[in-house]
Amino acid sequence: MTKAHSESCQQAEIAFGDTHTQFFGKNNAVEELESVAQARDAKTLRLRAARQAKELADRMSGTSKLIAKRAKTR
């Protein structure tokens, strides 16, 4: 009787271990996806800031060129 009990107990522990492993595997996958999304968002913000700074510099440069051109013609 003890042997049958221990076999069924072992089978139950194995089944629980498999379920437990799958559960934590899913958590790890979710955490990995979240970290990838955070890295992507950070890169997007960095690139957007760089683009906006470049556009502002281009506008300022264009404005200063127009002012210099108008000053020469007067």
Side-chain angles (χ1 to χ4, degrees):
M1 175 111 173
T2 340
K3 187 174 183 180
H5 175 69
S6 67
E7 285 179 16
S8 64
C9 185
Q10 287 176 354
Q11 289 175 351
E13 287 179 4
I14 290 170
F16 175 75
D18 290 344
T19 304
H20 200 248
T21 302
Q22 289 174 353
F23 176 76
F24 283 114
K26 288 178 185 177
N27 282 344
N28 290 339
V30 169
E31 289 174 2
E32 185 177 338
L33 288 174
E34 287 175 354
S35 69
V36 167
Q38 288 175 352
R40 182 185 60 234
D41 293 343
K43 183 177 181 181
T44 300
L45 289 174
R46 189 177 69 248
L47 290 172
R48 182 178 296 140
R51 177 182 48 82
Q52 290 173 344
K54 182 183 180 304
E55 288 174 353
L56 179 62
D58 290 346
R59 265 188 259 130
M60 297 304 275
S61 174
T63 303
S64 63
K65 286 180 184 177
L66 284 175
I67 291 172
K69 187 175 181 180
R70 285 184 185 168
K72 286 181 184 179
T73 59
R74 287 184 179 183

